[in-house]
């Protein structure tokens, strides 16, 4: 079965640094998402992306965050100036019709020191 | 926006017992209710889902029920096994939003 892939699996960064988390959604999917999960807490929605633009975003997704689909396969999440509270597992997800089963990647564990 | 409440936060059962996890939602327009299982250190994976035009759905030992009037839905696992141990998340989403809102998760522990 096709899978969403994410790189890196772990990222350690210093507070104030920029990070880019990378995702390759399933190839025929049209809707892309970023979620995050702080240790022991629920999965929180950050942003959705469709037709090369953001379709929805949460309050968490402030101007420190951005997403991009630089080519036909990658989908990236950039955090411009990381804060300690950005430490979390970041999951990319995709699906082909929105409003349907989400296929999650294996996540990137971001640690901000 | 949608708000999903999930109970209990932890559930401990003996192997072979049944487990029930309950969720409520706030937006009456929500019409898709998936359940995800997340094993320790792994990605969430869909185990079952239900749409608002159906009251119950079953897949082997797993079943989900939906009460639209009361705005709650439940996951039922029968004959639990140790490999059912995981965190289970319910979610709700409405057409037009495309964004599932997740509950806080239930940590299910099945003791052999």
């Amino acid at each position: 079965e096709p899978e969403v892939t994410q790189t890196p699996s772990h990222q350690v960064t210093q507070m104030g640094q920029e990070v880019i988390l990378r995702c390759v959604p399933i190839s025929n999917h049209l809707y892309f998402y970023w979620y995050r999960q702080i240790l022991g807490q629920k999965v929180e929605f950050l942003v959705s992306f469709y037709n090369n633009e953001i379709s929805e975003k949460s309050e968490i997704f402030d101007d420190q965050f951005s997403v991009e689909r630089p080519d036909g396969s990658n989908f990236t999440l950039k955090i411009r100036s990381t804060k300690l509270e950005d430490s979390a597992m970041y999951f990319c997800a995709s699906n082909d019709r929105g409003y349907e089963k989400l296929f999650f990647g294996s996540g990137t564990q971001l640690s901000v020191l | 926006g949608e708000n999903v409440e999930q109970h209990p936060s932890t559930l401990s059962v003996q192997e072979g017992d049944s487990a029930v996890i309950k969720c409520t939602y706030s937006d009456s327009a929500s019409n898709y209710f998936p359940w995800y299982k997340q094993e320790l250190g792994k990605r969430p994976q869909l185990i079952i889902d239900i749409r608002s035009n159906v009251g119950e759905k079953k897949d082997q030992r797993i079943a989900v029920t939906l009460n639209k009037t009361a705005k709650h839905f439940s996951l039922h696992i029968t004959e639990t096994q140790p490999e059912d141990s995981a965190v289970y998340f319910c979610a709700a989403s409405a057409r037009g939003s495309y964004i599932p809102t997740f509950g806080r998760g239930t940590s299910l522990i099945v003791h052999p």
Side-chain angles (χ1 to χ4, degrees), chain B residues 47-87:
Chain B
I47 54 170
I48 195 166
D49 55 10
I50 192 168
R51 299 187 188 279
S52 59
N53 58 346
V54 175
E56 184 174 358
K57 184 176 178 180
K58 192 172 181 181
D59 182 3
Q60 300 182 341
R61 297 186 297 108
I62 294 172
V64 57
T65 58
L66 171 65
N67 183 326
K68 280 168 40 181
T69 304
K71 289 191 280 191
H72 67 69
F73 57 114
S74 301
L75 179 72
H76 305 251
I77 306 174
T78 58
E79 300 171 29
T80 53
Q81 299 166 4
E83 51 265 39
D84 294 329
S85 296
V87 178

Side-chain angles (χ1 to χ4, degrees), chain B residues 7-110:
Chain B
H7 301 280
S9 56
T10 58
L11 180 58
S12 185
V13 300
Q14 288 297 127
E15 183 176 0
D17 288 351
S18 294
V20 180
I21 302 170
K22 299 183 179 182
C23 290
T24 60
Y25 60 100
S26 60
D27 188 351
S28 56
S30 288
N31 51 13
Y32 176 63
F33 307 93
W35 286 87
Y36 288 83
K37 175 183 180 182
Q38 186 179 26
E39 296 176 23
L40 189 63
K42 297 192 175 180
R43 71 188 78 191
Q45 292 193 300
L46 183 83
I47 54 170
I48 195 166
D49 55 10
I50 192 168
R51 299 187 188 279
S52 59
N53 58 346
V54 175
E56 184 174 358
K57 184 176 178 180
K58 192 172 181 181
D59 182 3
Q60 300 182 341
R61 297 186 297 108
I62 294 172
V64 57
T65 58
L66 171 65
N67 183 326
K68 280 168 40 181
T69 304
K71 289 191 280 191
H72 67 69
F73 57 114
S74 301
L75 179 72
H76 305 251
I77 306 174
T78 58
E79 300 171 29
T80 53
Q81 299 166 4
E83 51 265 39
D84 294 329
S85 296
V87 178
Y88 292 80
F89 292 95
C90 64
S93 62
R95 182 178 290 279
S97 170
Y98 302 111
I99 308 302
T101 298
F102 285 82
R104 290 195 163 273
T106 295
S107 178
L108 173 65
I109 303 166
V110 181

Side-chain angles (χ1 to χ4, degrees), chain A residues 3-4 31 33 35 37 41-43 45 48 56 91 97-102 104-106, chain B residues 4 31-32 36 38 42-44 46 51 89 93-100 102-104:
Chain A
E3 288 187 341
V4 175
Y31 297 83
Y33 310 81
Y35 283 81
Q37 186 179 31
Q41 299 188 25
K42 69 175 175 179
V43 178
F45 167 71
S48 63
E56 283 194 52
F91 289 104
R97 271 193 280 181
Y99 181 69
E100 292 278 346
K101 168 184 176 180
L102 288 174
F104 283 91
S106 53
Chain B
V4 177
N31 51 13
Y32 176 63
Y36 288 83
Q38 186 179 26
K42 297 192 175 180
R43 71 188 78 191
L46 183 83
R51 299 187 188 279
F89 292 95
S93 62
R95 182 178 290 279
S97 170
Y98 302 111
I99 308 302
F102 285 82
R104 290 195 163 273

